[in-house]
């Protein structure tokens, strides 16, 4: 546990579909988290068109991902690409999939006490971390900001 987190934990969440492209991106995301020595939890939120697709993905996750860490999780959701009439719109999966995870996976907002000291970081499967996030950056040597004098250096509630 990082001393700059003041008792807070991180939950890294990324959204994906149920397809081969995002399977390998997800594998690399999980692997990169393992490589940097992550602390907290990591969850792939996968929006699947069918229950069969979700079942196959759960099996793949257990065989290839969960063996890297018991804190690597999978949360499957319905496919949200057809919420409105017209052509399929893939970008609905991220906001509605994350909402599904927050409500059904983390039991928010009904159980806020469970996650009061949890910082949720939402990323994409094609992103890789080179180092851990920290809550308190007042002792960090390097802070990236276009306004360094006004950069927030501690993540608080709200």
């Amino acid at each position: 546990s990082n001393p700059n987190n003041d008792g807070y934990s991180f939950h890294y969440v990324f959204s994906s579909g149920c397809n081969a492209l995002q399977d390998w991106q997800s594998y690399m995301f999980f692997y990169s988290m393992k490589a940097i020595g992550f602390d907290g939890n990591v969850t792939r939120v996968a929006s699947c068109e069918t229950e069969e697709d979700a079942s196959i993905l759960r099996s793949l996750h257990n065989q290839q991902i969960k063996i890297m860490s018991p804190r690597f999780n999978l949360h499957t959701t319905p496919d949200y690409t057809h919420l409105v009439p017209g052509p399929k719109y893939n970008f609905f999966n991220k906001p509605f999939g994350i909402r599904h995870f927050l409500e059904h996976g983390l039991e928010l907002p009904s159980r806020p006490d469970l996650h009061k000291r949890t910082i949720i970081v939402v990323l994409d499967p094609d992103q890789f971390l080179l180092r851990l996030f920290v809550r308190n950056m007042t002792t960090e040597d390097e802070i990236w900001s276009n306004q360094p004098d006004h950069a927030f250096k501690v993540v608080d509630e709200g």
Side-chain angles (χ1 to χ4, degrees):
S1 176
N2 189 315
N4 287 339
N5 291 340
D6 301 326
Y8 281 73
S9 64
F10 283 86
H11 195 135
Y12 303 91
V13 180
F14 65 96
S15 171
S16 76
C18 287
N19 59 61
L21 170 66
Q22 293 196 315
D23 286 345
W24 76 260
Q25 288 177 337
S26 298
Y27 184 92
M28 291 304 299
F29 184 92
F30 282 117
Y31 183 82
S32 75
M33 295 301 287
K34 180 177 173 57
I36 63 169
F38 79 102
D39 53 354
N41 289 288
V42 182
T43 300
R44 176 183 181 181
V45 176
S47 299
C48 303
E49 291 187 26
T50 67
E51 180 51 41
E52 180 183 7
D53 290 344
S55 178
I56 291 168
L57 185 58
R58 283 190 287 274
S59 177
L60 180 74
H61 180 84
N62 289 332
Q63 293 170 12
Q64 297 180 359
I65 306 299
K66 201 72 169 173
I67 60 173
M68 286 191 271
S69 171
R71 293 180 292 145
F72 286 166
N73 307 298
L74 173 67
H75 180 85
T76 58
T77 75
D79 177 57
Y80 295 103
T81 59
H82 296 289
L83 283 180
V84 296
K88 182 177 180 177
Y89 189 68
N90 290 326
F91 303 105
F92 277 149
N93 277 335
K94 185 171 190 170
F96 289 101
I98 296 293
R99 183 180 76 180
H100 188 281
F101 168 68
L102 293 173
E103 292 174 350
H104 300 280
L106 297 183
E107 299 180 64
L108 293 172
S110 62
R111 299 284 313 273
D113 54 304
L114 294 176
H115 307 288
K116 186 163 182 65
R117 296 181 69 81
T118 301
I119 298 169
I120 298 172
V121 180
V122 179
L123 300 162
D124 286 324
D126 61 352
Q127 295 176 312
F128 306 107
L129 298 184
L130 301 176
R131 64 183 186 183
L132 296 172
F133 278 70
V134 294
R135 175 182 175 267
N136 184 340
M137 296 170 274
T138 56
T139 60
E140 292 294 304
D141 294 335
E142 180 179 358
I143 295 178
W144 295 1
S145 173
N146 60 354
Q147 298 177 340
D149 294 336
H150 296 88
F152 291 100
K153 295 185 180 176
V154 177
V155 178
D156 283 320
E157 294 180 36

